[in-house]
Amino acid sequence: MNLNQLEPGESARILGFSDNFSMKRRLQDLGFVRGIDIKCLFKSPMKDPKAYLIMKTIIAIRNKDARGVLIKKEDKL
């Protein structure tokens, strides 16, 4: 599953990145690393971008970039 599929109110754990993902280094610098919990807070009126809560920080990411982040939804985070 990828981050783009996470809907507002849902949480997941980051597993890594897809192969040849150009934003990998930039997102890692922002805290998107394996094992970190992330929550989708809301999506913009045009549905792109979505805002995510990660490590007490809210970050908006375009859907095309969120597709490169691999996640696993968990029942309780």
Side-chain angles (χ1 to χ4, degrees):
M1 175 173 201
N2 62 49
L3 186 58
N4 184 52
Q5 296 170 298
L6 208 60
E7 291 297 321
E10 295 181 330
S11 297
R13 181 153 292 142
I14 296 175
L15 297 177
F17 299 94
S18 59
D19 294 335
N20 299 320
F21 180 53
S22 63
M23 293 285 294
K24 178 180 179 179
R25 180 66 182 163
R26 175 71 177 130
L27 291 178
Q28 286 176 325
D29 289 344
L30 293 171
F32 286 69
V33 293
R34 183 178 178 85
I36 296 294
D37 296 334
I38 189 166
K39 181 176 183 177
C40 182
L41 297 179
F42 53 88
K43 53 186 164 185
S44 71
M46 300 298 288
K47 298 184 175 38
D48 191 17
K50 289 182 184 175
Y52 301 93
L53 178 66
I54 183 166
M55 296 174 42
K56 299 182 183 180
T57 302
I58 298 172
I59 300 173
I61 302 174
R62 295 176 295 188
N63 290 333
K64 72 175 195 159
D65 295 328
R67 283 197 243 342
V69 180
L70 305 176
I71 60 167
K72 179 181 179 188
K73 281 177 43 174
E74 297 191 0
D75 295 332
K76 296 179 183 177
L77 292 179

